[in-house]
Amino acid sequence: MIKKKWPLDYLDFGQQLIDTGWKVVENMQLPSSVLDATIMLAFLHEDNIMVYVYGDGCLLFKDQAGNLGTIEIAFTHNAPYFLTYWHDEERRHEYAKEDAKPLLISASAF
């Protein structure tokens, strides 16, 4: 078993995800757009939780005191930056034309 360094590198892990997905799609002769999806993953390591989000969505969390909060990840033109854009230069450039910095993050506690 190969031991990975913690925390896992966000960019490297995302690249591994899309590379694997891309191979599956090519083998199944499907359009790459089937991979246009948000991916949310949470990793527990000892007492730490690391959450990776590729795309958009909302995370609900509860701290040790029982307080709830949210983190919302959105994009200015209602189009998440999917991992598929990492493999498709034309789509990546088209996406970048819409807004140079489209990421919006908001947090709340209640």
Side-chain angles (χ1 to χ4, degrees):
M1 182 171 138
I2 299 172
K3 291 203 172 206
K4 297 285 183 178
K5 175 182 90 168
W6 182 261
L8 301 171
D9 181 77
Y10 176 84
L11 294 176
D12 289 344
F13 189 77
Q15 191 65 57
Q16 290 176 37
L17 282 173
I18 194 58
D19 288 348
T20 301
W22 205 267
K23 288 175 189 171
V24 170
V25 162
E26 285 179 337
N27 287 337
M28 295 180 72
Q29 298 178 349
L30 297 170
S32 63
S33 61
V34 301
L35 296 173
D36 288 351
T38 292
I39 300 170
M40 292 183 166
L41 302 163
F43 303 95
L44 175 62
H45 178 72
E46 297 172 0
D47 290 335
N48 300 303
I49 298 173
M50 178 75 68
V51 177
Y52 288 175
V53 178
Y54 303 92
D56 62 351
C58 186
L59 303 170
L60 174 68
F61 60 90
K62 185 181 195 180
D63 66 19
Q64 291 178 339
N67 301 309
L68 295 176
T70 61
I71 298 173
E72 182 178 0
I73 300 151
F75 292 81
T76 55
H77 51 287
N78 198 29
Y81 190 80
F82 295 127
L83 287 175
T84 47
Y85 301 162
W86 295 15
H87 259 272
D88 189 330
E89 187 172 345
E90 183 180 333
R91 288 182 74 197
R92 185 171 57 247
H93 287 301
E94 191 65 32
Y95 185 89
K97 288 179 188 177
E98 290 291 326
D99 192 341
K101 296 184 179 182
L103 180 61
L104 302 170
I105 298 176
S106 59
S108 66
F110 40 89

